[in-house]
């Protein structure tokens, strides 16, 4: 019997509307499986407004909860007086940290192994921290009652700069932690310091760059919320939750609240975007559950937009210094990185336990470097906690940004073309599988091919000539390149876990007697199109049309255990589990077919949707075999055609690509506009090309927004300056550039269907391309770096400073 975990050499189907691509399965139109542009089935309910979100859940006797948040970033709580609030008609309860403390629920563990206040008991540590909660008969009454709660604060010194926070004179943010004398929350290193230093000593040139990847926010369309129903009569707890990882959240709820896990049911209905924001457990979830437990009534909590922006999981906030050792001919030797990461008041990053700075050590990118050394320190500050993998795989975005900005500057300092410098140092296709100097084993890739395609489609040489001519005319054109390697699909259980939970994932497939199927998954879609793409995997492996496959997710009572959807892990893990369990069922169907056709199993050939006796037209469809599995199965073979598989990936997968951006900058105003944006992505085998393209367009839009307009900033008193969509900008169709998308296909050799994941690649790769383009336009003026977001004011200031510096040297 063939190993079901290996890449299939059968014929997954693909529509004739999608041309055959090297590395892709052959085309077929009979069953709309892998490669077919199937319209998303879930869109039928979404475009009709028939989706079901947490705020749509209404239960009998349901109460509403609103949270009182601190206006100050750092202050002792002297007193909380809720007398007037409790007297307001319709108010059922006011919950404070002292109330939760009595039930040992005032503090909870974070995904990074730290502790976080559920409701503040001693002091507040960031603006927007949860101080008290009002539970009332309506959300309006609860909001009115908040105004009646009187809190007396004793203000404390505020620290919002992580470098200042790490100084010995800084006020200690986490004085609740025994033995915590300063604001360092971790120190972490990766790579070989001695070998790196030796190679730097051999270098002809060292390119250095200090840069900051600013704090930004996923800002999903749907904010976070829950409906908690702790039923005293049944002992059951049902929580409707905006969760990207329902099973993990159930386990963590059991650990925090002490409720037996078998009595907890998490239901994550439709989710209006996640992007990493809905991976952590937030205090509001715990407070609502505790309130339901104490009041014996369901409690709903839905946060406002401002609450979402100022208090839930942010992204980035990395201060990075990179040094690249190169020879005079452009050969890159080694990389050295010093990183200071700002984690806010609590170290609550959502990332694998073993890696304190996420997977940032993939900072060597697509290049064949001989050594690297990364030193990272995390700082507590008076900001909101919870760094999340905002459409990236655990800090890969920051890593990709740093190396691609360094390579751009290296090209400028060496007087080389940035494309040629990349080509000279790329990992070659014949070097895969390739072990990086920081320990990643890249599974496959062809970086030269992707960059060549991008440059050819762009007309790169002609554009460089146009750029030179434009400068003679006083016009500032810039061409920016970013060639990224992402690492997704966390992950092999020997290395990857979150809060101790190993990062495998699962698929349960049941084929009914009539040949229709139900697929249940441990992951959870927030817009990725799982109901469509996973059905296509089943279609390719079993020959059941995708419209006959119902995909279920998000209900812990009715799906197998899994670690959820984030960091582009759905296809690499659950997609693999789906393919493997489908192949196991196909093997069982083969046994049944051999029995019914009275031939040996080796005499049967699989042909898209049926087994056929070799050399004949005798055969049986999968539907006929499914019926036989319940009505006429062989003696000694268990009835039914169903099973579950837990997939523990042997390695991560490594999507990659090359993005090129062309911009024009107005030197008088600092305004810049995108003339062209071309993206070449390689995510291995594409299950549904239309959905892949949609994911890439969405990621490119978010990458542009981060590069051009988005910033969560704070003043010296810790006031959040990005607390609404007037200050934190979301790109519109008017703002967003036109994207030109292309592909290469390099299947993952260890993934059952050769897929790698794509949902976050565009956000990982594109920000550096925009910045590189603007810097390229201004390099001859002496501009070597501009921090994101590239506002017109920042660009104008950089031009003015460069011109002033040139004047000083004349």
């Amino acid at each position: 019997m063939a190993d079901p975990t290996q890449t299939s050499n059968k014929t997954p189907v693909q529509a004739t509307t999608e041309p055959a691509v090297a590395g892709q399965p052959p085309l077929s139109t009979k069953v709309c499986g892998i490669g077919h542009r199937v319209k998303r089935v879930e869109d039928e309910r979404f475009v009709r407004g028939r989706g079901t979100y947490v705020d749509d859940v209404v239960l009998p006797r349901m109460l509403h909860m609103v949270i009182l948040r601190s206006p100050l970033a750092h202050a002792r709580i002297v007193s909380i007086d809720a007398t007037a609030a409790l007297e307001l008609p319709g108010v059922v309860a006011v919950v404070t940290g002292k109330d939760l403390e009595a039930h040992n629920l005032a503090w909870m563990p974070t995904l990074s192994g730290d502790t976080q206040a559920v409701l503040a008991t001693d002091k507040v540590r960031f603006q927007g921290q949860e101080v008290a909660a009002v539970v009332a008969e309506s959300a309006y009454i609860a909001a009115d009652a908040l105004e009646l709660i009187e809190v007396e604060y004793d203000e404390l010194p505020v620290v919002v700069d992580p470098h200042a926070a790490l100084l010995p004179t800084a006020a200690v943010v986490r004085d609740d932690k025994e033995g915590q004398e300063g604001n360092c929350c971790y120190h972490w290193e990766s790579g070989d310091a001695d070998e790196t230093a030796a190679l730097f000593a051999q270098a002809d040139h060292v390119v250095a760059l200090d840069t900051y990847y600013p704090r930004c926010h996923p800002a999903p369309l749907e904010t976070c919320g829950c409906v908690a129903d702790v039923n005293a009569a049944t002992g059951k707890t049902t929580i409707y939750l905006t969760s990207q990882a329902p099973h993990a959240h159930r386990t963590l709820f059991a650990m925090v609240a002490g409720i037996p896990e078998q009595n907890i049911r998490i239901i994550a209905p439709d989710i209006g975007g996640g992007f990493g924001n809905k991976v952590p457990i937030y205090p509001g979830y715990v407070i609502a559950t505790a309130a339901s437990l104490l009041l014996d009534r369901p409690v709903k909590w839905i946060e406002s937009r401002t609450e979402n922006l100022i208090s839930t999981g942010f992204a980035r906030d990395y201060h990075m210094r990179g040094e690249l050792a190169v020879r005079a001919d452009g050969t890159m030797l080694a990389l050295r990185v010093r990183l200071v990461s700002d984690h806010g008041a609590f170290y609550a990053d959502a990332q694998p336990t073993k890696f304190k700075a996420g997977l940032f050590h993939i900072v060597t990118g697509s290049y064949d470097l001989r050594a690297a050394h990364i030193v990272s320190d995390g700082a507590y500050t008076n900001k909101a906690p919870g760094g999340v993998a905002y459409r990236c795989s655990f800090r890969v975005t920051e890593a990709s940004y740093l190396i691609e900005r360094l390579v751009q500057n290296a090209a400028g300092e060496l007087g080389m073309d940035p494309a040629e410098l990349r080509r000279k140092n790329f990992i070659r296709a014949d070097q895969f599988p390739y072990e990086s100097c920081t320990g990643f084993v890249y599974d496959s890739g062809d970086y030269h091919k992707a960059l060549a395609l991008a440059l050819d489609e762009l007309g790169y040489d002609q554009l460089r000539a146009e750029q030179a001519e434009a400068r003679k005319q006083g016009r500032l054109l810039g061409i920016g390149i970013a060639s990224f390697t992402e690492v997704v699909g966390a992950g092999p259980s020997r290395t990857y876990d979150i809060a101790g939970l190993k990062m495998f994932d699962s698929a349960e497939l049941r084929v009914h007697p009539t040949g229709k199927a139900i697929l249940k998954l441990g992951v959870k879609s927030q817009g990725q199109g799982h109901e469509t793409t996973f059905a296509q995997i089943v279609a390719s492996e079993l020959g059941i049309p995708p419209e006959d496959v119902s995909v279920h997710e998000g209900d812990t009572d009715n799906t197998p255990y899994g670690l959820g959807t984030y960091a582009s892990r759905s296809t690499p893990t659950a997609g693999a589990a789906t393919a493997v369990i489908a192949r196991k069922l196909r093997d069982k169907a083969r046994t049944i077919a051999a029995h019914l056709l009275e031939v040996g199993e080796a005499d049967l050939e699989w042909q898209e949707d049926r087994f056929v006796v070799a050399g004949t037209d005798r055969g049986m469809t999968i539907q006929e075999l499914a019926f036989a599995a319940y009505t006429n199965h062989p003696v000694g073979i268990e009835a039914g055609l169903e099973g579950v598989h837990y997939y523990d990936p042997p390695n991560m997968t490594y999507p990659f690509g090359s993005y090129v951006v062309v911009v024009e900058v107005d030197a008088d105003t600092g305004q810049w506009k995108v003339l062209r944006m071309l993206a070449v992505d390689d995510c291995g085998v594409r299950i549904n090309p239309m959905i892949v393209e949609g994911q890439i367009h969405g990621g490119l839009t978010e990458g542009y927004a981060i590069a051009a307009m988005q910033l969560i900033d704070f003043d010296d008193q810790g006031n959040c300056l990005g607390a609404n969509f007037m200050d934190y900008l979301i790109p519109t169709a008017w703002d967003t550039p036109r994207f030109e998308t292309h592909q290469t296909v390099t299947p993952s050799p260890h993934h059952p269907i050769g897929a790698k994941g794509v949902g976050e690649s565009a956000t990982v790769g594109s920000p550096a391309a925009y910045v590189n383009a603007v810097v390229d336009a201004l390099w001859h003026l002496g501009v070597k770096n501009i921090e994101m977001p590239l506002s017109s004011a920042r660009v104008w200031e950089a031009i003015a400073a460069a011109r002033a510096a040139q004047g000083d040297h004349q």
Side-chain angles (χ1 to χ4, degrees):
M1 184 178 294
D3 183 352
T5 66
Q6 297 305 305
T7 304
S8 174
N9 60 0
K10 302 300 180 182
T11 309
V13 294
Q14 189 171 17
T16 54
T17 54
E18 182 68 15
V21 179
Q24 288 272 37
L27 301 181
S28 176
T29 57
K30 185 175 181 180
V31 177
C32 298
I34 291 174
H36 200 291
R37 291 175 172 269
V38 176
K39 290 184 178 180
R40 290 176 18 139
V41 298
E42 46 269 80
D43 288 350
E44 184 70 20
R45 67 178 184 275
F46 292 148
V47 299
R48 292 171 178 263
R50 298 293 180 85
T52 301
Y53 301 90
V54 169
D55 200 23
D56 293 321
V57 176
V58 177
L59 301 180
R61 303 174 60 244
M62 187 176 73
L63 299 171
H64 297 262
M65 186 180 84
V66 178
I67 293 175
L68 178 68
R69 298 180 181 274
S70 171
L72 304 175
H74 201 195
R76 296 280 175 197
I77 297 176
V78 178
S79 64
I80 300 175
D81 185 354
T83 304
L86 285 167
E87 291 175 350
L88 185 69
V91 171
V92 177
V94 175
V95 184
T96 67
K98 294 300 182 182
D99 297 324
L100 294 183
E101 198 170 48
H103 297 274
N104 200 30
L105 291 174
W107 291 81
M108 66 182 190
T110 71
L111 294 178
S112 294
D114 197 4
T115 52
Q116 177 175 351
V118 177
L119 285 173
T121 55
D122 53 348
K123 67 177 184 178
V124 293
R125 294 172 170 85
F126 66 94
Q127 185 187 61
Q129 184 174 351
E130 300 82 358
V131 174
V134 175
V135 182
E137 297 292 345
S138 77
Y140 300 104
I141 295 173
D144 288 343
L146 286 190
E147 304 294 329
L148 302 177
I149 299 175
E150 296 183 3
V151 183
E152 182 181 353
Y153 296 102
D154 183 8
E155 293 191 48
L156 297 170
V158 172
V159 57
V160 293
D161 181 341
H163 295 95
L166 293 175
L167 296 175
T169 55
V172 178
V173 177
R174 295 301 305 278
D175 52 354
D176 61 287
K177 295 172 68 72
E178 185 176 351
Q180 183 77 32
E181 297 180 353
N183 289 318
C184 182
C185 61
Y186 75 80
H187 176 82
W188 183 76
E189 298 186 25
S190 179
D192 189 319
D194 294 338
E195 185 178 1
T196 301
L199 287 167
F200 265 79
Q202 301 173 24
D204 298 314
H205 192 76
V206 174
V207 180
L209 175 67
D210 287 287
T211 189
Y212 171 55
Y213 205 125
R215 178 176 286 223
C216 55
H217 197 281
L221 183 62
E222 178 196 25
T223 61
C224 298
C226 71
V227 177
D229 182 12
V230 183
N231 192 316
T234 64
K236 298 290 186 179
T237 296
T238 302
I239 306 173
Y240 299 84
L241 193 65
T242 49
S243 171
Q244 295 180 227
H247 289 277
H249 283 166
R250 181 186 62 187
T251 298
L252 294 171
F253 262 106
M255 294 168 63
V256 171
I259 302 171
E261 189 168 2
Q262 76 277 13
N263 290 345
I264 301 175
R265 180 183 183 186
I266 303 291
I267 300 175
D270 292 323
I271 295 180
F275 313 112
N277 187 238
K278 292 165 183 172
V279 174
I281 290 182
Y282 294 114
Y285 301 160
V286 178
I287 302 166
T289 304
S292 179
L293 174 66
L294 296 173
L295 299 172
D296 192 23
R297 291 177 65 178
V299 175
K300 175 186 282 189
W301 168 68
I302 303 293
E303 67 180 0
S304 68
R305 175 58 58 190
T306 291
E307 287 179 296
N308 184 260
L309 287 170
I310 70 171
S311 67
T312 62
F314 67 91
R316 322 308 186 224
D317 216 340
Y318 267 31
H319 298 257
M320 303 175 285
R321 176 175 177 80
E323 295 176 300
L324 187 64
V326 296
R327 290 197 174 117
D329 66 355
T331 301
M332 300 179 195
L333 299 175
L335 174 67
R336 190 158 49 205
V337 177
R338 183 72 175 86
L339 170 68
V340 175
S341 56
D342 189 332
H343 293 275
F346 309 106
Y347 180 32
D349 276 23
Q351 63 193 20
T353 303
K354 184 177 179 179
F355 304 110
K356 297 302 182 183
L359 304 184
F360 183 87
H361 50 306
I362 201 170
V363 67
T364 54
S366 307
Y367 306 102
D368 188 14
L369 295 172
R370 290 163 58 184
H373 185 230
I374 300 100
V375 178
S376 177
D377 286 296
Y380 289 121
T381 62
N382 293 120
K383 298 179 183 177
V388 298
Y390 168 27
R391 205 156 188 171
C392 84
S393 185
F394 308 118
R395 304 294 189 166
V396 173
T397 300
E398 293 93 321
S400 180
Y401 181 79
L402 178 61
I403 187 62
E404 288 307 300
R405 285 291 297 113
L406 271 171
V407 171
Q408 178 77 19
N409 280 19
E413 293 185 21
L414 293 171
M416 291 184 67
D417 182 272
E420 181 56 33
L421 181 62
R422 286 175 168 83
R423 283 191 288 249
K424 183 178 183 64
N425 291 281
F426 275 158
I427 302 164
R428 301 187 313 274
D430 61 5
Q431 290 179 273
F432 291 94
Y434 173 88
E435 184 170 0
S436 77
C437 54
T438 57
F440 291 98
V441 179
Y442 295 15
D443 60 355
S444 60
D446 194 338
Y447 304 150
H448 291 86
K449 182 179 180 180
L451 179 58
L453 177 58
L455 298 181
D456 289 346
E457 292 289 339
L458 190 74
Y460 182 71
D461 292 339
Q462 181 181 349
L463 270 174
R464 283 296 182 194
E466 291 177 9
Q467 180 187 43
E469 185 62 30
R471 284 181 180 172
K472 295 177 184 178
Q473 302 169 7
R475 294 173 58 219
L476 301 176
L477 295 184
I479 306 169
I481 302 172
S483 294
F484 68 92
T485 294
E486 198 187 1
V487 51
V488 304
S493 65
R494 63 186 181 276
T495 306
Y496 293 90
D497 71 88
I498 289 184
L501 302 175
K502 297 295 186 179
M503 298 184 72
F504 57 82
D505 232 288
S506 58
E508 178 185 321
L509 180 58
R510 178 179 304 162
V511 183
H512 297 305
T514 56
K516 314 298 184 181
I518 291 179
L519 176 66
K520 299 181 178 182
L521 301 169
V523 292
K524 173 58 188 165
S525 174
Q526 311 107 53
Q528 294 90 342
H530 288 182
E531 293 175 44
T532 305
T533 55
F534 284 95
Q536 289 180 259
I537 297 174
V538 175
S540 286
E541 299 294 342
L542 282 180
I544 300 173
E547 61 267 25
D548 290 344
V549 181
S550 177
V551 178
H552 294 192
E553 300 178 328
D555 184 340
T556 57
D557 272 11
N558 294 293
T559 54
Y561 200 100
L563 268 288
T565 296
Y566 42 87
S568 289
R569 65 185 306 275
S570 288
T571 296
T573 57
T578 298
V580 172
I581 190 57
R583 291 173 191 177
K584 288 181 177 180
L585 299 192
R586 191 174 66 202
D587 286 342
K588 183 175 182 180
R590 177 190 295 270
T591 301
I592 297 172
H595 167 71
L596 295 175
L597 294 170
E598 299 180 329
V599 296
E601 291 187 31
D603 297 324
L604 295 175
E605 294 179 348
W606 175 254
Q607 294 184 359
E608 198 165 38
D609 66 344
R610 67 192 64 214
F611 282 107
V612 175
V613 179
T616 76
D617 59 358
R618 295 177 59 229
M620 297 187 71
T621 66
I622 192 68
Q623 288 79 9
E624 292 170 327
L625 294 170
F627 191 75
Y630 294 91
T631 63
N632 192 21
H633 57 283
V635 175
I637 298 296
E638 189 177 42
L641 197 59
E642 61 182 75
V644 61
H645 183 78
Y646 290 86
Y647 183 78
D648 189 351
N651 187 14
M652 311 279 267
T653 60
Y654 294 81
F656 62 93
S658 282
Y659 296 163
V660 189
V661 172
V662 184
V663 302
E664 183 169 3
V665 180
D666 186 326
D668 294 327
T669 65
Q671 290 185 320
W672 57 282
K673 62 180 178 180
V674 178
L675 303 181
R676 291 186 70 183
M677 196 293 166
L678 190 144
V680 174
D681 277 277
D682 194 315
C683 59
V685 172
R686 296 184 169 206
I687 300 169
N688 186 317
M690 181 169 58
I691 290 179
V692 168
E693 290 163 12
Q695 289 285 299
I696 291 170
H697 275 254
L700 292 174
T701 301
E702 288 179 297
Y704 171 74
I706 291 167
M709 61 183 67
Q710 292 185 337
L711 175 65
I712 299 289
D713 203 5
F714 299 82
D715 66 16
D716 291 341
Q717 297 305 308
N719 295 306
C720 181
L721 305 180
N724 55 67
F725 282 161
M726 292 292 289
D727 299 314
Y728 189 76
L729 303 181
I730 301 297
T732 66
W734 180 263
D735 304 305
T736 305
R738 178 178 179 270
F739 305 127
E740 305 169 48
T741 58
H742 301 272
Q743 65 169 312
T744 61
V745 177
T746 310
S748 171
H750 64 78
H751 191 272
I753 60 174
K756 293 185 175 183
V758 73
E760 299 165 334
S761 292
T763 313
V764 168
S766 61
Y770 291 109
V771 178
N772 283 344
V774 173
V775 170
D776 182 70
L778 307 176
W779 184 269
H780 66 292
L781 301 178
V783 175
K784 293 190 174 182
N785 189 48
I786 307 174
E787 302 292 11
M788 297 189 294
L790 298 178
S791 65
S792 57
R794 286 186 175 184
V795 175
W796 183 87
E797 288 168 0
I799 295 170
R803 285 175 170 170
Q806 286 183 341
D808 291 342
H809 289 93
Q810 292 176 353

